[in-house]
């Protein structure tokens, strides 16, 4: 987590920009004379440049790269390199969830081969699915870590994550508490994904994880606002990185330069979070 | 599921061979003069040829391809093509778990771009994470479907999947029951991953899903035997495909031809399952 936290503090920004390059929403000009994977990389390159003054990190949504076949994964590799050159740590939003040696292979893929700093991980298979990622991050010593899905922001999340006693989201939060090791930055290397659209679940996750770093999606396009973020803050008013994807990526709405619009939207989101006192 | 079930019936085999090409366990000769991804593809090609008379399908463990970077994904694409040429349907053991448009991108990746028939899916984010895979499989009309993780075979599974009331595994099973559509083969297009190492959880999953097809890992190397498989059978003594990976892939134990050893181990596993009356 160290890498993320230092970047956030350096830029005084709690904003993570999510890179979800949905091909049908790319500026049409970008697709002319380019293969889809080239257009996606070019689009993301423009976004990186536009948001790098305002964002603490970028979160790469793997599905949109996987969908483009092997060349899509080459674009993912290129994107991680370019984010590094822009001084932006990368969260691989891969939500992988497998066990033991297999989880170790996924960890090696994203943290070592592709070079992301952090990975999102699914807790359904228990500690076996989470620990190998932490072990790989610790071996690499680049200040990385994992964000375990705890309380996600999608409509059907509650029907699974809150339908039992204790709720699955609580079991996930306990895994985060058990497995994380404290870093110099003041946060453990295991954090939690906690959406801003379900403040009640968020408050419970915070009670269970008073010191963990939260990655909070759902800000902006998914309808979550500053109020939802406040529910997630820790005792000292920090501990949250807020991720926004589509509200920034597609801010231009098909008019004007997508980079200018993205830069404006990112600055606005950062300022909104700053004004609300959200920080790490 | 149609494609899997037809293949299993044609070959009178309930065996699925899992392709988990761990590079350190490849026959050393294969790595000479080859890049790692080439050696992995060559190894899997040999296994495909060796097991195709005895296996109903192959299950590709994505982590070992993802770990090899973009070229690893090219090997995955090649492997799916060659399995098709050998008449073996492919289950992409990807355990992806994301939502809505993002889940649709993963579904498109594995079912359309890479061409697998079925995908394993993680239920932690609820119906939003499962339905887009089913929708893609139905659009493609190739007799594919999904296997949702319900009760997995790893050591820490129970501590997450059975620690609540109702247990998370029961919520997952309910998703399978709700979302599947019955196919001509007599099984719905949503099946369940239920390990053979936890018969109690397996029996409960079967009570909740009397008609679903189960994909049962943990047979062989993970310590699960025929007794564990019996707990999963449906009312008519069918409904289970049993997956075995390392006990077949690495049957040679470093001595002799790995293909001969794999063919022998696959035949033996198929015969063991046949003798126990396990079928679909």
């Amino acid at each position: 987590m160290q890498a993320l936290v230092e970047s956030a503090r350096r830029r005084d920004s709690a904003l993570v920009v999510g890179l979800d390059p949905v091909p049908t929403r790319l500026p049409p000009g970008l697709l002319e004379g380019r293969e889809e994977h080239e257009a996606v990389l070019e689009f993301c390159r423009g976004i990186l440049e536009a948001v790098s003054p305002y964002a603490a990190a970028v979160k790469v949504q793997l599905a949109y790269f996987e969908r483009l076949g092997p060349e899509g994964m080459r674009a993912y590799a290129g994107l991680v390199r370019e984010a590094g050159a822009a001084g932006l740590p990368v969260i691989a939003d891969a939500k992988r969830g497998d066990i033991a040696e297999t989880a170790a292979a996924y960890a090696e893929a994203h943290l070592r081969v592709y070079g992301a700093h952090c990975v999102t991980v699914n807790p359904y298979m228990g500690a076996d699915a989470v620990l190998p990622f932490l072990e790989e991050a610790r071996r690499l010593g680049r200040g990385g870590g994992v964000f375990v899905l705890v309380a996600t922001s999608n409509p059907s999340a509650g029907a699974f994550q809150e339908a039992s006693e204790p709720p699955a989201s609580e079991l996930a939060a306990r895994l985060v508490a058990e497995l994380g090791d404290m870093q110099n930055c003041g946060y453990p290397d295991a954090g939690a994904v906690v959406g801003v659209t379900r403040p009640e679940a968020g408050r419970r996750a915070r009670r269970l994880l008073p010191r963990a770093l939260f990655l909070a999606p759902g800000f902006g396009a998914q309808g979550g606002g500053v109020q939802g973020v406040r529910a997630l803050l820790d005792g000292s008013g920090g501990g949250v990185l807020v991720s926004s994807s589509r509200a920034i990526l597609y801010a231009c709405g098909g008019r004007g330069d997508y980079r200018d619009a993205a830069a404006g939207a990112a600055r606005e989101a950062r300022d909104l979070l700053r004004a609300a006192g959200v920080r790490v």
Side-chain angles (χ1 to χ4, degrees), chain A:
Chain A
M1 295 305 181
Q2 191 89 12
L4 281 186
V5 170
E6 283 172 4
S7 171
R9 286 176 182 160
R10 201 165 46 237
R11 289 175 160 97
D12 186 16
S13 172
L15 177 69
V16 171
V17 173
L19 298 170
D20 299 26
V22 179
T24 54
R25 300 187 70 177
L26 298 187
L30 276 185
L31 285 158
E32 274 164 32
R34 284 194 182 91
E35 301 272 337
E36 220 177 14
H37 62 90
E38 292 167 337
V40 159
L41 183 56
E42 184 58 29
F43 175 71
C44 290
R45 203 178 269 140
I47 295 284
L48 273 183
E49 203 177 304
V51 306
S52 72
Y54 314 113
V58 289
K59 177 173 84 62
V60 180
Q61 173 46 264
L62 261 293
Y64 297 108
F65 295 84
E66 201 157 301
R67 198 194 67 87
L68 297 171
E71 288 306 321
M73 297 307 275
R74 207 175 294 288
Y76 166 42
L79 183 54
V80 175
R81 269 195 305 276
E82 300 201 13
L88 285 169
V90 172
I91 303 167
D93 193 0
K95 300 187 178 69
R96 299 299 188 251
D98 215 304
I99 54 159
E101 210 173 344
T102 308
Y106 276 130
E108 199 183 330
H110 292 281
L111 297 173
R112 189 182 292 264
V113 177
Y114 288 103
H117 289 83
C118 297
V119 190
T120 57
V121 176
N122 189 305
Y124 190 73
M125 299 179 89
D128 297 343
V130 179
L131 200 53
F133 284 90
L134 287 168
E135 288 168 346
E136 181 73 21
R138 289 167 194 166
R139 256 193 305 274
L140 286 169
R142 296 170 58 228
V146 305
F147 288 99
V148 176
L149 304 185
V150 170
T152 60
S153 56
N154 58 301
S156 72
F160 194 93
Q161 295 160 19
E162 312 302 331
S164 303
E165 195 43 52
S169 65
E170 185 174 325
L171 302 177
R174 283 191 215 153
L175 278 181
V176 174
E178 263 167 43
L179 301 177
D181 272 357
M182 188 53 74
Q183 309 287 285
N184 287 335
C185 61
Y187 293 100
D189 55 2
V193 175
V194 181
V196 300
T197 54
R198 293 162 53 216
E200 199 41 62
R203 266 185 287 268
R204 197 175 46 241
R206 182 49 84 191
R207 279 195 298 273
L208 292 163
L209 295 167
R211 307 180 71 179
L213 186 60
F214 284 8
L215 176 65
F219 188 71
Q222 283 185 53
V226 164
Q227 210 47 44
V229 178
R230 283 221 182 88
L232 311 182
L233 296 176
D234 64 20
S236 59
V240 182
L241 287 172
V242 174
S243 140
S244 177
S245 303
R246 295 169 194 195
I248 292 173
L249 263 52
Y250 311 116
C252 75
R255 283 183 310 279
D257 191 287
Y258 76 98
R259 289 160 297 201
D260 295 344
R267 191 182 50 236
E268 213 173 285
R270 179 204 62 180
D271 291 346
L272 203 64
L273 295 168
R274 258 191 202 167
V278 180
R279 54 184 177 68
V280 297

